[in-house]
Amino acid sequence: MGVDPKRTIAELKELRSLTADENGAQRVAWTDTWLKARNWFESRLDSLPVEQHIDPAGNRWVTLPGESGRALLLGSHLDSVPNGGWLDGSLGVLAALEVMRRINEEFHGRPPITIRLVDFADEEGARFGRSLLGSSAFAGTHSVEADRVRTDQNGIRMDDALRRCGVDMDRFPDARAEQKNAAAYLELHIEQGPVLENLMLPLGVVLGTKGVERHTITFHGQEAHSGSTPMKARHDALAAAAKLALEIRTIAGRHPDAVCTVGSVKTFPGIVTAVVGRCEATLDQRDLDAKVLAQMYREAREASERFAREEKCTVEWSRIWNIEPIKFHPELVKRCHEAVAHTAGVAHELPSGPLHDAAEVSRAGIPTVMMFVQSIGGISHNKIENTSEEHLEMAVRAFDRLASSTMNWLAG
Ligand SMILES: [Zn+2]
Protein backbone atom coordinates (compact mmCIF):
# COMPACT_ATOMS: atom_id res chain seq x y z
CA MET A 1 0.00 0.00 0.00
CA GLY A 2 1.03 3.60 -0.49
CA VAL A 3 3.04 5.39 -3.11
CA ASP A 4 6.35 3.94 -4.21
CA PRO A 5 8.63 6.92 -5.00
CA LYS A 6 11.45 4.54 -5.92
CA ARG A 7 9.31 3.24 -8.77
CA THR A 8 8.90 6.83 -10.03
CA ILE A 9 12.67 7.32 -10.02
CA ALA A 10 13.19 4.00 -11.83
CA GLU A 11 10.62 5.05 -14.46
CA LEU A 12 12.26 8.45 -14.90
CA LYS A 13 15.55 6.66 -15.54
CA GLU A 14 13.89 4.28 -17.98
CA LEU A 15 12.38 7.21 -19.88
CA ARG A 16 15.77 8.92 -19.92
CA SER A 17 17.49 5.86 -21.36
CA LEU A 18 14.81 5.63 -24.08
CA THR A 19 14.75 9.30 -25.11
CA ALA A 20 18.09 10.93 -24.26
CA ASP A 21 21.43 10.87 -26.05
CA GLU A 22 24.87 12.06 -24.90
CA ASN A 23 23.62 15.68 -25.07
CA GLY A 24 20.54 15.19 -22.89
CA ALA A 25 16.79 14.65 -23.31
CA GLN A 26 15.47 14.92 -26.88
CA ARG A 27 11.70 14.68 -26.29
CA VAL A 28 10.89 17.74 -28.40
CA ALA A 29 7.13 17.87 -29.03
CA TRP A 30 5.88 16.65 -32.42
CA THR A 31 9.05 14.60 -33.08
CA ASP A 32 9.52 10.83 -33.23
CA THR A 33 11.37 10.78 -29.89
CA TRP A 34 8.46 12.54 -28.21
CA LEU A 35 6.02 10.03 -29.72
CA LYS A 36 8.28 7.27 -28.43
CA ALA A 37 8.16 8.75 -24.91
CA ARG A 38 4.39 8.96 -25.11
CA ASN A 39 4.01 5.40 -26.35
CA TRP A 40 6.23 4.20 -23.52
CA PHE A 41 4.05 6.12 -21.07
CA GLU A 42 0.91 4.57 -22.51
CA SER A 43 2.38 1.11 -21.91
CA ARG A 44 2.69 1.99 -18.20
CA LEU A 45 -1.10 2.23 -17.94
CA ASP A 46 -1.88 -1.39 -18.83
CA SER A 47 -2.55 -2.60 -15.29
CA LEU A 48 -4.86 0.30 -14.37
CA PRO A 49 -8.65 0.33 -14.89
CA VAL A 50 -8.51 3.63 -16.76
CA GLU A 51 -9.94 5.20 -19.89
CA GLN A 52 -7.44 7.16 -21.93
CA HIS A 53 -7.44 9.28 -25.07
CA ILE A 54 -5.66 12.12 -26.83
CA ASP A 55 -7.71 15.34 -27.01
CA PRO A 56 -7.95 17.57 -30.13
CA ALA A 57 -4.88 19.57 -29.03
CA GLY A 58 -2.72 16.49 -28.53
CA ASN A 59 -2.97 16.35 -24.72
CA ARG A 60 -3.19 12.85 -23.26
CA TRP A 61 -5.92 12.28 -20.66
CA VAL A 62 -6.04 9.22 -18.41
CA THR A 63 -9.20 8.88 -16.35
CA LEU A 64 -9.84 6.73 -13.28
CA PRO A 65 -13.61 7.09 -12.79
CA GLY A 66 -14.83 7.71 -9.25
CA GLU A 67 -18.15 7.66 -7.38
CA SER A 68 -18.51 11.31 -8.29
CA GLY A 69 -17.82 12.79 -11.73
CA ARG A 70 -16.03 15.76 -10.15
CA ALA A 71 -12.45 15.39 -11.21
CA LEU A 72 -9.11 16.02 -9.60
CA LEU A 73 -6.54 16.67 -12.35
CA LEU A 74 -2.87 15.78 -11.91
CA GLY A 75 -0.33 16.50 -14.61
CA SER A 76 2.59 18.12 -16.37
CA HIS A 77 4.33 17.50 -19.71
CA LEU A 78 6.53 14.78 -21.23
CA ASP A 79 8.07 17.02 -23.90
CA SER A 80 11.49 18.58 -23.38
CA VAL A 81 13.71 21.19 -24.95
CA PRO A 82 16.49 19.85 -27.20
CA ASN A 83 19.43 18.75 -25.03
CA GLY A 84 17.16 19.03 -22.00
CA GLY A 85 17.10 17.41 -18.59
CA TRP A 86 15.52 14.20 -17.33
CA LEU A 87 13.12 15.78 -14.80
CA ASP A 88 11.55 18.90 -16.34
CA GLY A 89 7.92 17.91 -16.91
CA SER A 90 8.43 14.15 -16.79
CA LEU A 91 8.73 14.18 -12.98
CA GLY A 92 5.25 15.71 -12.76
CA VAL A 93 3.70 13.20 -15.17
CA LEU A 94 5.29 10.12 -13.57
CA ALA A 95 4.60 11.31 -10.01
CA ALA A 96 0.97 11.83 -11.06
CA LEU A 97 0.93 8.25 -12.37
CA GLU A 98 2.29 6.93 -9.07
CA VAL A 99 -0.34 8.86 -7.13
CA MET A 100 -3.04 7.51 -9.45
CA ARG A 101 -1.82 3.95 -8.79
CA ARG A 102 -1.95 4.54 -5.04
CA ILE A 103 -5.47 5.96 -5.20
CA ASN A 104 -6.62 3.09 -7.41
CA GLU A 105 -5.21 0.57 -4.94
CA GLU A 106 -6.55 2.28 -1.84
CA PHE A 107 -10.09 2.58 -3.20
CA HIS A 108 -10.11 -0.75 -5.10
CA GLY A 109 -10.53 0.95 -8.46
CA ARG A 110 -13.37 3.27 -7.39
CA PRO A 111 -12.21 6.46 -5.61
CA PRO A 112 -14.81 8.87 -4.18
CA ILE A 113 -14.07 11.40 -6.92
CA THR A 114 -12.70 10.97 -10.44
CA ILE A 115 -8.93 11.21 -10.90
CA ARG A 116 -7.55 12.42 -14.24
CA LEU A 117 -3.92 12.48 -15.31
CA VAL A 118 -2.91 14.86 -18.11
CA ASP A 119 0.25 14.94 -20.19
CA PHE A 120 0.03 18.35 -21.88
CA ALA A 121 1.36 18.56 -25.44
CA ASP A 122 4.18 20.95 -26.27
CA GLU A 123 4.69 22.83 -23.01
CA GLU A 124 8.15 23.95 -24.08
CA GLY A 125 7.41 25.39 -27.52
CA ALA A 126 10.92 24.29 -28.45
CA ARG A 127 10.26 23.55 -32.11
CA PHE A 128 7.81 26.30 -33.09
CA GLY A 129 8.47 28.94 -30.43
CA ARG A 130 4.99 28.68 -28.92
CA SER A 131 5.07 27.43 -25.33
CA LEU A 132 2.08 26.13 -23.31
CA LEU A 133 0.45 25.06 -26.57
CA GLY A 134 -1.68 22.14 -25.38
CA SER A 135 -2.62 23.69 -22.06
CA SER A 136 -3.63 26.97 -23.70
CA ALA A 137 -5.91 25.07 -26.08
CA PHE A 138 -7.39 23.32 -23.03
CA ALA A 139 -7.86 26.70 -21.33
CA GLY A 140 -9.38 28.29 -24.43
CA THR A 141 -6.77 31.07 -24.53
CA HIS A 142 -5.11 29.80 -27.69
CA SER A 143 -5.47 31.49 -31.06
CA VAL A 144 -5.14 28.97 -33.88
CA GLU A 145 -4.68 31.62 -36.57
CA ALA A 146 -1.62 33.11 -34.86
CA ASP A 147 0.13 29.75 -34.66
CA ARG A 148 -0.84 27.85 -37.78
CA VAL A 149 1.74 29.57 -39.96
CA ARG A 150 4.66 29.18 -37.59
CA THR A 151 7.54 27.18 -39.04
CA ASP A 152 10.42 25.25 -37.51
CA GLN A 153 14.09 25.68 -38.43
CA ASN A 154 13.60 23.48 -41.49
CA GLY A 155 10.66 25.50 -42.75
CA ILE A 156 8.09 22.84 -41.80
CA ARG A 157 4.77 24.44 -40.92
CA MET A 158 3.28 23.88 -37.51
CA ASP A 159 -0.06 22.63 -38.80
CA ASP A 160 1.75 20.09 -41.04
CA ALA A 161 3.94 18.81 -38.19
CA LEU A 162 0.92 18.42 -35.94
CA ARG A 163 -1.11 16.64 -38.60
CA ARG A 164 1.69 14.08 -38.87
CA CYS A 165 1.08 13.34 -35.17
CA GLY A 166 -2.66 13.00 -35.74
CA VAL A 167 -3.58 16.49 -34.49
CA ASP A 168 -5.70 18.87 -36.60
CA MET A 169 -5.20 22.48 -35.51
CA ASP A 170 -8.67 23.44 -36.69
CA ARG A 171 -10.03 21.24 -33.92
CA PHE A 172 -7.93 22.87 -31.17
CA PRO A 173 -10.89 24.76 -29.65
CA ASP A 174 -12.59 21.40 -28.97
CA ALA A 175 -9.91 20.63 -26.36
CA ARG A 176 -11.85 22.93 -24.01
CA ALA A 177 -14.36 20.11 -23.56
CA GLU A 178 -11.83 18.45 -21.23
CA GLN A 179 -12.56 21.18 -18.69
CA LYS A 180 -15.87 19.47 -17.93
CA ASN A 181 -16.10 18.48 -14.23
CA ALA A 182 -12.51 19.65 -13.55
CA ALA A 183 -12.53 20.70 -9.90
CA ALA A 184 -8.81 21.16 -9.15
CA TYR A 185 -5.38 20.80 -10.79
CA LEU A 186 -2.11 19.87 -9.08
CA GLU A 187 1.34 19.89 -10.66
CA LEU A 188 4.69 18.81 -9.25
CA HIS A 189 7.72 20.32 -11.01
CA ILE A 190 11.41 20.89 -10.47
CA GLU A 191 12.14 24.47 -9.42
CA GLN A 192 14.58 25.17 -12.29
CA GLY A 193 16.12 27.94 -10.16
CA PRO A 194 18.37 28.26 -7.09
CA VAL A 195 15.97 29.54 -4.39
CA LEU A 196 15.24 26.25 -2.56
CA GLU A 197 18.85 25.10 -2.75
CA ASN A 198 20.07 28.39 -1.27
CA LEU A 199 17.61 27.92 1.60
CA MET A 200 18.71 24.27 1.89
CA LEU A 201 15.09 23.16 1.47
CA PRO A 202 13.93 20.15 -0.56
CA LEU A 203 10.40 21.35 -1.37
CA GLY A 204 8.50 24.57 -1.98
CA VAL A 205 4.92 25.78 -2.24
CA VAL A 206 4.32 27.76 -5.43
CA LEU A 207 2.17 30.87 -4.97
CA GLY A 208 1.63 31.44 -8.67
CA THR A 209 3.45 32.33 -11.86
CA LYS A 210 4.88 35.76 -12.41
CA GLY A 211 3.42 38.11 -14.96
CA VAL A 212 5.69 39.18 -17.78
CA GLU A 213 6.18 42.49 -19.63
CA ARG A 214 8.44 42.04 -22.66
CA HIS A 215 9.44 45.01 -24.83
CA THR A 216 11.83 46.20 -27.51
CA ILE A 217 13.29 49.60 -26.65
CA THR A 218 14.92 51.54 -29.48
CA PHE A 219 17.12 54.56 -28.80
CA HIS A 220 17.67 56.88 -31.78
CA GLY A 221 20.79 59.08 -31.77
CA GLN A 222 23.04 60.13 -34.58
CA GLU A 223 25.67 58.13 -36.39
CA ALA A 224 28.90 60.13 -36.42
CA HIS A 225 32.61 59.64 -37.03
CA SER A 226 34.37 58.32 -33.94
CA GLY A 227 37.45 60.42 -34.66
CA SER A 228 35.97 63.79 -35.57
CA THR A 229 32.97 64.02 -33.20
CA PRO A 230 33.80 65.62 -29.83
CA MET A 231 32.42 63.81 -26.79
CA LYS A 232 30.06 66.65 -25.93
CA ALA A 233 28.57 66.78 -29.42
CA ARG A 234 27.50 63.12 -29.52
CA HIS A 235 24.02 61.64 -29.67
CA ASP A 236 25.09 58.20 -28.49
CA ALA A 237 22.23 55.72 -28.56
CA LEU A 238 24.27 52.98 -26.88
CA ALA A 239 25.15 55.24 -23.94
CA ALA A 240 21.44 55.74 -23.24
CA ALA A 241 20.73 52.00 -23.54
CA ALA A 242 23.68 51.18 -21.28
CA LYS A 243 22.36 53.49 -18.56
CA LEU A 244 18.98 51.77 -18.80
CA ALA A 245 20.55 48.30 -18.60
CA LEU A 246 22.03 49.27 -15.22
CA GLU A 247 18.98 51.18 -13.98
CA ILE A 248 16.63 48.17 -14.34
CA ARG A 249 18.66 46.44 -11.63
CA THR A 250 17.75 49.23 -9.22
CA ILE A 251 14.12 49.12 -10.39
CA ALA A 252 13.88 45.37 -9.75
CA GLY A 253 15.85 45.65 -6.51
CA ARG A 254 13.01 47.57 -4.82
CA HIS A 255 10.83 44.41 -4.81
CA PRO A 256 11.86 41.10 -3.22
CA ASP A 257 10.89 38.69 -6.02
CA ALA A 258 10.95 40.97 -9.07
CA VAL A 259 13.35 40.38 -11.94
CA CYS A 260 14.27 42.62 -14.89
CA THR A 261 16.58 41.59 -17.72
CA VAL A 262 18.04 43.35 -20.74
CA GLY A 263 18.77 40.22 -22.74
CA SER A 264 19.76 41.64 -26.09
CA VAL A 265 21.40 44.85 -27.32
CA LYS A 266 22.01 45.54 -31.01
CA THR A 267 23.92 48.58 -32.22
CA PHE A 268 23.75 50.25 -35.63
CA PRO A 269 25.83 50.73 -37.65
CA GLY A 270 27.76 48.51 -35.26
CA ILE A 271 31.25 49.34 -36.47
CA VAL A 272 34.32 50.32 -34.54
CA THR A 273 34.66 53.79 -36.10
CA ALA A 274 31.13 55.13 -35.61
CA VAL A 275 29.16 56.56 -32.68
CA VAL A 276 26.06 54.38 -32.31
CA GLY A 277 23.16 56.00 -34.14
CA ARG A 278 20.52 53.46 -33.19
CA CYS A 279 20.40 50.90 -30.40
CA GLU A 280 17.75 48.21 -29.98
CA ALA A 281 17.51 46.63 -26.53
CA THR A 282 15.03 44.09 -25.18
CA LEU A 283 13.57 44.19 -21.70
CA ASP A 284 11.87 41.33 -19.82
CA GLN A 285 10.25 42.21 -16.46
CA ARG A 286 8.50 39.75 -14.12
CA ASP A 287 6.65 39.78 -10.83
CA LEU A 288 3.78 37.95 -9.16
CA ASP A 289 2.05 41.23 -8.24
CA ALA A 290 0.33 43.02 -11.14
CA LYS A 291 0.77 46.40 -9.40
CA VAL A 292 4.51 45.85 -8.97
CA LEU A 293 4.81 44.76 -12.59
CA ALA A 294 2.95 47.87 -13.80
CA GLN A 295 5.08 50.10 -11.59
CA MET A 296 8.35 48.56 -12.83
CA TYR A 297 7.22 49.01 -16.42
CA ARG A 298 6.39 52.68 -15.77
CA GLU A 299 9.70 53.28 -14.01
CA ALA A 300 11.71 51.69 -16.80
CA ARG A 301 9.88 53.84 -19.36
CA GLU A 302 10.49 57.01 -17.40
CA ALA A 303 14.15 56.11 -16.91
CA SER A 304 14.57 55.43 -20.63
CA GLU A 305 13.15 58.88 -21.45
CA ARG A 306 15.46 60.52 -18.93
CA PHE A 307 18.54 58.74 -20.32
CA ALA A 308 17.49 59.53 -23.88
CA ARG A 309 17.35 63.23 -22.96
CA GLU A 310 20.71 63.07 -21.18
CA GLU A 311 22.32 61.58 -24.27
CA LYS A 312 20.45 63.83 -26.72
CA CYS A 313 18.57 60.87 -28.17
CA THR A 314 14.95 59.83 -28.52
CA VAL A 315 13.40 56.54 -27.44
CA GLU A 316 10.49 54.40 -28.58
CA TRP A 317 8.97 51.31 -27.00
CA SER A 318 7.18 48.41 -28.61
CA ARG A 319 5.61 45.55 -26.70
CA ILE A 320 6.74 42.07 -27.75
CA TRP A 321 4.48 40.09 -25.44
CA ASN A 322 2.93 40.20 -21.99
CA ILE A 323 0.96 38.01 -19.62
CA GLU A 324 -0.68 38.89 -16.35
CA PRO A 325 0.51 37.33 -13.08
CA ILE A 326 -1.45 34.23 -12.10
CA LYS A 327 -1.97 33.55 -8.41
CA PHE A 328 -2.81 30.01 -7.39
CA HIS A 329 -5.88 29.07 -5.34
CA PRO A 330 -5.60 30.05 -1.64
CA GLU A 331 -7.19 26.85 -0.32
CA LEU A 332 -4.85 24.69 -2.41
CA VAL A 333 -1.83 26.82 -1.46
CA LYS A 334 -2.77 26.16 2.17
CA ARG A 335 -3.10 22.43 1.57
CA CYS A 336 0.17 22.34 -0.36
CA HIS A 337 1.83 24.19 2.51
CA GLU A 338 0.58 21.57 4.94
CA ALA A 339 1.75 18.66 2.74
CA VAL A 340 5.22 20.16 2.28
CA ALA A 341 5.56 21.05 5.98
CA HIS A 342 4.52 17.54 6.98
CA THR A 343 6.99 15.89 4.61
CA ALA A 344 9.96 18.27 4.82
CA GLY A 345 9.46 19.83 8.26
CA VAL A 346 9.29 23.33 6.82
CA ALA A 347 7.38 24.93 3.94
CA HIS A 348 8.73 27.87 1.97
CA GLU A 349 6.35 29.75 -0.34
CA LEU A 350 7.73 31.17 -3.57
CA PRO A 351 6.51 32.46 -6.94
CA SER A 352 7.53 30.78 -10.19
CA GLY A 353 9.49 32.87 -12.68
CA PRO A 354 9.04 30.39 -15.54
CA LEU A 355 5.54 29.82 -16.86
CA HIS A 356 3.98 26.38 -16.53
CA ASP A 357 0.91 24.51 -17.82
CA ALA A 358 -0.57 25.17 -14.37
CA ALA A 359 -0.79 28.85 -15.26
CA GLU A 360 -3.06 28.08 -18.21
CA VAL A 361 -5.21 25.69 -16.17
CA SER A 362 -5.58 28.39 -13.54
CA ARG A 363 -6.57 30.93 -16.20
CA ALA A 364 -9.41 28.57 -17.14
CA GLY A 365 -10.79 29.19 -13.63
CA ILE A 366 -9.87 25.77 -12.23
CA PRO A 367 -8.43 25.90 -8.67
CA THR A 368 -4.72 25.14 -9.12
CA VAL A 369 -1.50 24.83 -7.18
CA MET A 370 2.06 23.68 -7.91
CA MET A 371 4.72 22.11 -5.73
CA PHE A 372 8.43 22.59 -6.45
CA VAL A 373 11.34 20.29 -5.62
CA GLN A 374 14.88 21.59 -5.39
CA SER A 375 17.05 21.73 -8.54
CA ILE A 376 20.74 21.10 -7.91
CA GLY A 377 22.64 24.25 -8.84
CA GLY A 378 19.34 25.77 -9.99
CA ILE A 379 20.10 24.39 -13.47
CA SER A 380 17.45 23.25 -15.98
CA HIS A 381 17.01 23.03 -19.76
CA ASN A 382 20.42 21.38 -19.70
CA LYS A 383 21.60 17.77 -19.59
CA ILE A 384 23.14 18.39 -16.14
CA GLU A 385 19.69 19.21 -14.69
CA ASN A 386 19.37 17.12 -11.54
CA THR A 387 17.67 16.62 -8.16
CA SER A 388 18.87 14.27 -5.45
CA GLU A 389 17.00 10.96 -5.20
CA GLU A 390 16.26 11.70 -1.56
CA HIS A 391 14.49 14.91 -2.60
CA LEU A 392 12.68 13.22 -5.48
CA GLU A 393 11.28 10.64 -3.07
CA MET A 394 10.15 13.36 -0.67
CA ALA A 395 8.54 15.20 -3.58
CA VAL A 396 6.47 12.18 -4.64
CA ARG A 397 5.38 11.57 -1.05
CA ALA A 398 4.43 15.21 -0.45
CA PHE A 399 2.60 15.38 -3.78
CA ASP A 400 0.66 12.23 -2.85
CA ARG A 401 -0.29 13.83 0.45
CA LEU A 402 -1.46 16.95 -1.36
CA ALA A 403 -3.57 14.81 -3.71
CA SER A 404 -5.26 13.09 -0.74
CA SER A 405 -5.89 16.38 0.98
CA THR A 406 -7.37 17.86 -2.21
CA MET A 407 -9.61 14.81 -2.68
CA ASN A 408 -10.94 15.31 0.84
CA TRP A 409 -11.60 18.96 0.11
CA LEU A 410 -13.42 18.18 -3.14
CA ALA A 411 -15.41 15.27 -1.70
CA GLY A 412 -16.33 17.16 1.49
ZN1 LIG B 1 8.48 22.03 -17.43
Side-chain angles (χ1 to χ4, degrees), residues 326-381:
I326 290 155
K327 289 194 178 165
F328 292 149
H329 194 276
E331 178 65 29
L332 290 177
V333 167
K334 196 178 94 197
R335 286 172 186 268
C336 187
H337 190 108
E338 188 280 326
V340 168
H342 182 269
T343 310
V346 50
H348 179 71
E349 298 184 343
L350 73 167
S352 173
L355 284 162
H356 290 286
D357 292 315
E360 287 290 357
V361 179
S362 187
R363 281 173 102 184
I366 297 162
T368 293
V369 77
M370 290 183 80
M371 185 184 290
F372 275 169
V373 60
Q374 187 194 103
S375 292
I376 295 173
I379 302 292
S380 183
H381 286 190

Side-chain angles (χ1 to χ4, degrees), residues 76-77 79 88-89 123-124 187 189-190 192 355-356 381:
S76 199
H77 60 97
D79 71 304
D88 178 359
E123 191 270 351
E124 301 286 0
E187 181 170 351
H189 206 281
I190 54 168
Q192 306 181 282
L355 284 162
H356 290 286
H381 286 190

Side-chain angles (χ1 to χ4, degrees), residues 355-406:
L355 284 162
H356 290 286
D357 292 315
E360 287 290 357
V361 179
S362 187
R363 281 173 102 184
I366 297 162
T368 293
V369 77
M370 290 183 80
M371 185 184 290
F372 275 169
V373 60
Q374 187 194 103
S375 292
I376 295 173
I379 302 292
S380 183
H381 286 190
N382 187 311
K383 70 171 176 180
I384 67 165
E385 169 189 288
N386 206 2
T387 297
S388 77
E389 295 200 5
E390 183 200 348
H391 290 171
L392 289 173
E393 287 187 29
M394 286 172 94
V396 176
R397 257 185 262 114
F399 190 65
D400 184 52
R401 192 177 176 85
L402 171 60
S404 279
S405 167
T406 306

